[in-house]
Amino acid sequence: MLQNREGFFVISMHSIRTTAHLLSQILLLFVVVSLHVNVIAQEKELNIIKPGSFLYAGKQPRSWPSPSGHFEFGFYPQGSGYAAGIWLVGRPENTVVWTANRDDPPVSANSTLEFTAQGTLLLRTENGEEKIIANPSSSGSVDSASMLDTGNFVLYWKRSVVWESFDFPTDTILGGQNLSGDHNQLISSVSRSNHSSGQFLLSMQPDGNLVAYVNNSAELDTDDAYWDTGTDGYSFSVLNLNTRGVLTMYSESNLDEERVPGLLENGSTTGNETKIIYRASVDPDGIFRLYSHQLESNTISNFAQNLDDVCDVKGHCGLNSYCSGKGNDFGCYCYPGFTFIDENTKFLGCSQNFTVDGCEARKDLSIQYKITALENITWAGYPSYVKHDLDKEECKKACEEDCSCGGVLYSSTGCSIYGLPLKYGRRQESIMTTAFIKVIIGSTISPSSGISPILINEGNRSLILTMGLSLGSFASLSC
Ligand SMILES: *[C@@H]1O[C@H](CO)[C@@H](O)[C@H](O)[C@H]1NC(C)=O
Ligand SMILES: *[C@@H]1O[C@H](CO)[C@@H](O)[C@H](O)[C@H]1NC(C)=O
Ligand SMILES: *[C@@H]1O[C@H](CO)[C@@H](O)[C@H](O)[C@H]1NC(C)=O
């Protein structure tokens, strides 16, 4: 079970009954209003897209706008080409809120988007490759499409929705959108200008907990988690942002008395609601932020976020380095004895210029090292082992005596022994720990051993040195 560390999104369970009542009324109102709006929109047949319509990356029409003109679906510039998606129109910059096939490379100016006669939404690249964006016609029929003013692109059959972009969120949910079921994750974009899958992920888990992770592998690991609501066991399964900027977790069925919504954030007091579009995004830096876009003044404000310090997000600084600083003013630093892999790209992490692999099996090897202390450090990753009854000096000694030890972390709760690489390092004054880092400065092979190679990694390159030890001499490797 994960603990809620800190942040804006605090769930007040005591006020949940009144909240539930209020929210059900708001929701009811919202449903009535949106039904009404939909009916009007359909009656006027506003911006209804018929099968057989085309968009072009390199010429007009490039996009299909929503009736209000605030959202558009179509081609937007990405890298040296184009991507297909949905954006919120802004001056001077648009905000991309959804991208189709986001991990595909950008397409050229000669690409087209077709809403086919069969009702399939198809991207056709210059060399004739066809990529399906939506194909609900495989299971039924489609007779029209529309870019709605909510930012949802929908396909219809006889005026009922058969496919909607809201069901496939990328890094953002808009007012009226849910994160649930098979599509319960938001994955950050690489950067503000590259909307491919980035480094961070937010998951509305089946266990009721909303958790932010480093997007490392297919298998989510609690060790990669850096924020959560601490609500596992509450049977929440839906994260909803409504059109008034209220972010809430729901249970799929609200029939059960205990299954009431959990309010995370209420942004509904920030202005004239009809002129505001709300958005919740996992940003490229891993922080989950709520934004309001004031349409009249064309301003964007970030009114809530789950974490204040970028360093609280794991993984900003690479292996064998640590993050230190406040807010957006942070830096990545190497541990003593380590150097940046790339001095110009410090977040890539650091390396030591000497490591010795398989030291335990090598009784002939004696390693020279020095140990440096560093205060106020935490690491994640699992320690090789933890010893509870050691004092500070004994903890340091435990690392000296264990050749696979890269560093130890001493705190009031014990002595944790870690191998390299050291992961998710963080330095903060409030953390009451002492880290001892082992730096290898050389190694010696005793004369009694036979001929055998020693594998030495220099930075991330590795070189194999074969020693002619039959001569009875000893070789010393040092920097
Ligand atoms: C976006 O980032 C991904 C991952 O880093 C990269 O592979 C891709 O080439 C980038 N795309 C563009 C258009 O720069
Ligand atoms: C979002 O989830 C709520 C609660 O389960 C549900 O009532 C609503 O219909 C969902 N909205 C959409 C757009 O799927
Ligand atoms: C090894 O690292 C030290 C700093 O820790 C540096 O002074 C030295 O030049 C490095 N040696 C090589 C061969 O890169």
Side-chain angles (χ1 to χ4, degrees), residues 27 30-31 152 164 166-167 175-180 237-241 249-254:
L27 265 184
F30 164 61
V31 168
N152 193 6
E164 52 190 319
F166 268 19
D167 280 345
Q177 191 170 2
N178 285 337
L179 202 58
S180 65
S237 54
V238 181
L239 178 69
N240 171 267
L241 178 67
M249 292 188 292
Y250 287 93
S251 165
E252 211 90 59
S253 103
N254 277 331

Side-chain angles (χ1 to χ4, degrees), residues 337-339 353 458 479:
F338 289 75
T339 49
N353 48 20
E458 191 183 317
C479 51

